Amino acid sequence: MSQVTVRIPASTSNLGPGFDCLGLALKLYNRVTIRRDDASNAPKIAREAAQLFFKKAKRKSFRFACTMSDHIPQRRGLGSSASVRAGILVGLNDLAGKPLHELELFELCSDLEGHPDNAAPALFGGFTVSNETGVQRFDVGRHLRCVLLVPELEVETKKARRILSKQISLPRAIGNIRGASTITAAFVSQDYEAARGAFGDSVHQPARTKLVPFLPRVIAAAEKAGAIGAFLSGSGSTIAAVATSNADRIARSMRRAGPTKARIIIVATENTGAFGGISRRR
Ligand code: HSE
């Protein structure tokens, strides 16, 4: 095979209380095309992924050229870096004759990311519960929508992780465990209404409000307009609301409560991840 293209979905992660665990793939995509080529033009993020891939696969490395689309907004908490890493890993694995299986590729992607919750939906699609070495994924109903308020403001994940508190009180920890469990049960049973009221978070959003000051009022506006729940998407700056109806009304409310420089994207969830998005050309 001389050329492989991988379509990778965007993802929202954490879903409020499920910090570094929960993820959801979205119908918004990047495409990564790779071909063996001595005139390698791969950017740093791709070279790092390739280096880890060849090491883990115990294959002699080859040079490759890649082209990438960038439809997923970058540094906005929508899994753009995970999409590139996933695309490179899945594409190289395909070109190399599939020496690694899916879970091994997931582990590599998660390792490069430093957390597993974007790597999981990017690779497997759907709603995912993940740790560094394992994923459980579930189909998401077609009627679920994510309303995204994507500010012009960029947030660097590394910085947004550095500012987190190292300790949390027991009642707050219990609140997060309860919320994440409720959301998980609701998504697994596809009874999304059961997750209403469960999206509060005490682990990462309070500290990140320093970086995204309009977060509490956009969440409140979305929930008041009928969203099942709203939360900071990954480490931000995007704010996501999940809903089964009234997406336009929720979007208008979020826009009114948000910064002037922001755009709204209403998007369905995606059940196919990068593993199901491979196309080949000779
Ligand atoms: N769980 C990660 C975080 C996601 O919140 O830092 C980064 O997009």
Side-chain angles (χ1 to χ4, degrees):
M1 202 57 55
S2 56
Q3 180 171 307
V4 179
T5 298
V6 187
R7 187 188 79 162
I8 318 99
S11 50
T12 184
S13 54
N14 298 331
L15 280 77
F19 182 69
D20 276 4
C21 302
L22 305 184
L24 188 59
L26 305 173
K27 280 195 186 297
L28 179 68
Y29 311 96
N30 275 346
R31 282 183 173 74
V32 174
T33 297
I34 306 186
R35 62 173 195 285
R36 286 184 187 247
D37 196 322
D38 280 340
S40 175
N41 64 346
K44 186 164 172 257
I45 187 170
R47 291 198 309 272
E48 280 170 0
Q51 209 179 1
L52 195 61
F53 168 78
F54 288 119
K55 189 171 162 213
K56 176 82 181 175
K58 299 193 174 69
R59 290 288 167 100
K60 190 171 159 5
S61 65
F62 53 80
R63 289 168 73 84
F64 64 94
C66 60
T67 50
M68 303 177 194
S69 68
D70 60 350
H71 298 300
I72 305 176
Q74 295 177 12
R75 291 177 288 280
R76 303 300 202 290
L78 290 169
S80 137
S81 60
S83 79
V84 172
R85 290 173 171 133
I88 295 288
L89 292 168
V90 172
L92 283 177
N93 196 48
D94 208 76
L95 282 181
K98 297 210 172 152
L100 298 183
H101 57 66
E102 291 185 350
L103 215 48
E104 288 174 308
L105 293 169
F106 162 71
E107 277 178 39
L108 294 188
C109 193
S110 173
D111 195 20
L112 289 161
E113 285 278 293
H115 48 88
D117 48 334
N118 290 105
L123 287 164
F124 294 95
F127 168 74
T128 53
V129 183
S130 54
N131 57 40
E132 275 71 14
T133 54
V135 181
Q136 296 185 71
R137 59 93 50 213
F138 304 88
D139 273 349
V140 181
R142 284 164 184 258
H143 58 302
L144 194 73
R145 291 288 174 278
C146 270
V147 183
L148 307 173
L149 178 112
V150 187
E152 208 173 84
L153 170 77
E154 297 186 353
V155 168
E156 201 200 321
T157 299
K158 264 193 197 148
K159 181 175 173 200
R161 291 178 81 82
R162 267 200 310 268
I163 62 170
L164 301 181
S165 313
K166 301 284 175 281
Q167 288 190 331
I168 174 173
S169 72
L170 183 61
R172 286 177 189 277
I174 293 169
N176 264 66
I177 294 165
R178 187 177 286 139
S181 310
T182 304
I183 293 168
T184 301
F187 271 76
V188 171
S189 62
Q190 297 197 6
D191 176 10
Y192 303 109
E193 275 300 322
R196 205 174 272 282
F199 289 82
D201 163 73
S202 302
V203 168
H204 66 109
Q205 290 184 179
R208 288 173 170 174
T209 301
K210 288 183 205 107
L211 304 177
V212 187
F214 43 86
L215 176 65
R217 62 172 197 265
V218 175
I219 290 179
E223 294 184 349
K224 194 165 171 224
I228 293 168
F231 48 88
L232 188 67
S233 181
S235 57
S237 59
T238 295
I239 301 168
V242 289
T244 48
S245 58
N246 297 319
D248 290 330
R249 189 171 80 195
I250 294 163
R252 282 196 299 276
S253 292
M254 291 171 76
R255 183 185 283 290
R256 273 199 300 274
T260 38
K261 291 186 175 167
R263 63 185 169 124
I264 292 280
I265 305 175
I266 299 177
V267 69
T269 56
E270 173 55 81
N271 284 323
T272 302
F275 291 131
I278 304 173
S279 50
R280 305 171 180 97
R281 236 176 60 191
R282 290 207 175 271

